[in-house]
Amino acid sequence: MAIKPTGYARSETYKEILSQGDVWQSVLHELKRSTSVEQILRSNNRKTSWLFVGCGTSFYLADAAATSWTLLTGEPARAVPGSEILLYPALTRSNSTDLRAIVISRSGRTSEAVRAAHVLRKKMQIPTIGITCAEKSELEGECDSTLVLKTADEKSTVMTRSFTSMLISLQWTAARRAGNAEFCNSLQEMAIQFAARIGSLAEYMEAFVESRSFEDYVFLGQGPFHGIAREAALKVMEMSCSYSQSFHTLEFRHGPKAIVSPRTALTFFLSQSGLPSEIEVLEEMKELGGITISVCNVANESIRRTSDLVLELNLPGDELTHLASHIVPSQLMGFFTGVGKGLNPDQPKNLTRVVVLD
Ligand code: F1P
């Protein structure tokens, strides 16, 4: 059943998107008391390498978490979908003396994630930690220890605050492992300030989506922002049934730019680390006639000149603390585009909240 363009405020998905700043603060409080985090932090030597595993949104979360983990701890980390552990287990092996796995699943019931945890722990003897928003889940039964974020759970089929909250939790844990208390405090401050900004972000995105329609949606990000770009593309697909893709920003020049037209919405997740190079791509796509959306922490003159919409987050701390907040504009874009098409983002087409296999 479609949502009337005026009635969306009652939507569970919409309310959960807007709840994120506040929920992040409660999650950060929960983490301080978590014994599972202490388990993750226990280490026998620094040569640990990490495997982050998930499915769907939880796989893109694994991507953003793995890059954050390496940037914060210096330890090698990579993301793998649950299905690869099951179908290509040999790809999981590494010559690290201490390989550990973190399996991510909002529901804790996704068959591929639960079976992957079983294979990692029982068949490969790899210490396996679960992170989920559901209590007493099947995943918990397959892991050495499990971090359960109850406050981040949601009614919505598509993952929004569960994605950002679990990502922030893994960043917080990585910073603790690296003894980086300043990063942990900046996450708290970021959550407080973002809670005050999310309302205006929603207004800007709603007005932008109402005033335009697109054939193609492209999301671009480098480093940890690439995982965010992948999740952004999925959010617009899930909530608005639109054609949506993601790329590393500079990779977009190597062929994909062939699709650029005035009917293409290009969202740039602009990092501080790669800004000059990323702005060159932004300028080039604007010249090709694309409609450009820039999500950044602080905008400069060239970003303003070459963007049709600038979403400036103005958050304190290091760019990595802003990572989770960068996905919210795309959650809103997916939501308002779906509502604009007469769809109901609370009941996304063809989707179930959990993929359970026989
Ligand atoms: C993973 C997931 C979601 C997707 C849909 C189906 O769930 O793929 O990402 O949006 O809801 O399930 P989970 O393993 O994180 O519960």
Side-chain angles (χ1 to χ4, degrees):
M1 185 198 51
I3 283 192
K4 282 206 287 327
T6 51
Y8 67 73
R10 285 194 301 279
S11 143
E12 292 298 341
T13 307
Y14 187 66
K15 287 187 277 185
E16 286 159 358
I17 292 174
L18 292 198
S19 72
Q20 293 183 90
D22 299 330
V23 166
W24 300 344
Q25 292 169 58
S26 338
V27 163
L28 287 163
H29 285 305
E30 255 183 65
L31 287 174
K32 292 188 183 108
R33 295 190 302 277
S34 159
T35 50
S36 317
V37 168
E38 296 316 317
Q39 181 115 9
I40 297 176
L41 296 177
R42 228 165 283 134
S43 172
N44 49 18
N45 67 40
R46 299 304 289 160
K47 290 201 182 24
T48 306
S49 63
W50 299 82
L51 210 52
F52 288 79
V53 179
C55 306
T57 287
S58 294
F59 170 49
Y60 302 137
L61 201 171
D63 185 348
T67 45
S68 296
W69 194 276
T70 298
L71 289 170
L72 284 161
T73 66
E75 295 175 321
R78 65 189 170 103
V80 180
S83 52
E84 284 287 82
I85 306 283
L86 305 178
L87 305 183
Y88 284 91
L91 291 177
T92 307
R93 291 215 175 76
S94 92
N95 51 21
S96 156
T97 52
D98 178 24
L99 178 61
R100 298 184 189 193
I102 296 190
V103 179
I104 305 165
S105 174
R106 170 182 66 179
S107 62
R109 291 193 305 119
T110 295
S111 305
E112 291 150 270
V114 172
R115 292 172 191 171
H118 179 81
V119 167
L120 288 162
R121 184 163 169 247
K122 290 283 173 46
K123 302 262 171 56
M124 298 180 173
Q125 283 70 48
I126 294 172
T128 300
I129 290 142
I131 177 165
T132 179
C133 300
E135 288 183 301
K136 301 196 176 27
S137 67
E138 285 167 68
L139 178 67
E140 195 163 349
E142 294 292 349
C143 292
D144 297 290
S145 77
T146 300
L147 176 58
V148 181
L149 304 173
K150 290 193 293 301
T151 37
D153 204 0
E154 56 211 352
K155 295 195 184 74
S156 170
T157 296
V158 301
M159 295 172 65
T160 58
R161 69 181 187 199
S162 58
F163 172 87
T164 52
S165 301
M166 290 195 280
L167 174 56
I168 285 169
S169 309
L170 289 168
Q171 290 185 311
W172 189 87
T173 306
R176 280 280 315 280
R177 189 172 167 81
N180 187 344
E182 192 200 339
F183 185 91
C184 295
N185 298 337
S186 304
L187 279 176
Q188 188 77 37
E189 192 46 39
M190 179 281 288
I192 294 166
Q193 296 199 20
F194 187 77
R197 306 247 162 79
I198 193 165
S200 53
L201 268 183
E203 281 161 26
Y204 291 141
M205 187 52 81
E206 183 183 10
F208 181 80
V209 167
E210 264 176 12
S211 62
R212 297 167 188 267
S213 71
F214 300 105
E215 277 165 11
D216 290 302
Y217 295 81
V218 172
F219 297 89
L220 304 172
Q222 297 278 162
F225 294 94
H226 183 245
I228 297 298
R230 297 172 90 179
E231 171 57 6
L234 181 61
K235 283 282 110 20
V236 169
M237 268 186 245
E238 288 181 323
M239 289 195 272
S240 74
C241 301
S242 305
Y243 191 68
S244 178
Q245 307 170 79
S246 63
F247 302 88
H248 290 88
T249 311
L250 275 65
E251 273 299 305
F252 192 67
R253 282 199 188 102
H254 301 275
K257 69 177 180 182
I259 68 163
V260 174
S261 81
R263 309 274 292 157
T264 312
L266 298 128
T267 297
F268 289 76
F269 297 106
L270 297 169
S271 66
Q272 280 145 15
S273 314
L275 196 58
S277 309
E278 294 166 7
I279 288 178
E280 285 169 9
V281 180
L282 174 60
E283 290 166 343
E284 192 180 327
M285 296 316 135
K286 193 67 227 155
E287 271 151 37
L288 290 177
I291 303 302
T292 53
I293 299 118
S294 290
V295 182
C296 57
N297 200 41
V298 179
N300 59 22
E301 194 279 327
S302 37
I303 292 172
R304 292 189 192 291
R305 184 168 36 74
T306 51
S307 306
D308 297 278
L309 177 66
V310 176
L311 297 169
E312 219 177 355
L313 301 173
N314 275 316
L315 296 166
D318 150 314
E319 74 172 352
L320 212 47
T321 60
H322 313 153
L323 198 59
S325 62
H326 274 63
I327 190 62
V328 178
S330 305
Q331 294 168 345
L332 291 161
M333 179 188 250
F335 181 85
F336 287 123
T337 304
V339 168
K341 282 184 170 183
L343 301 172
N344 178 358
D346 285 4
Q347 292 160 7
K349 188 167 152 253
N350 302 341
L351 292 189
T352 53
R353 197 170 182 285
V354 185
V355 177
V356 175
L357 308 174
D358 298 341

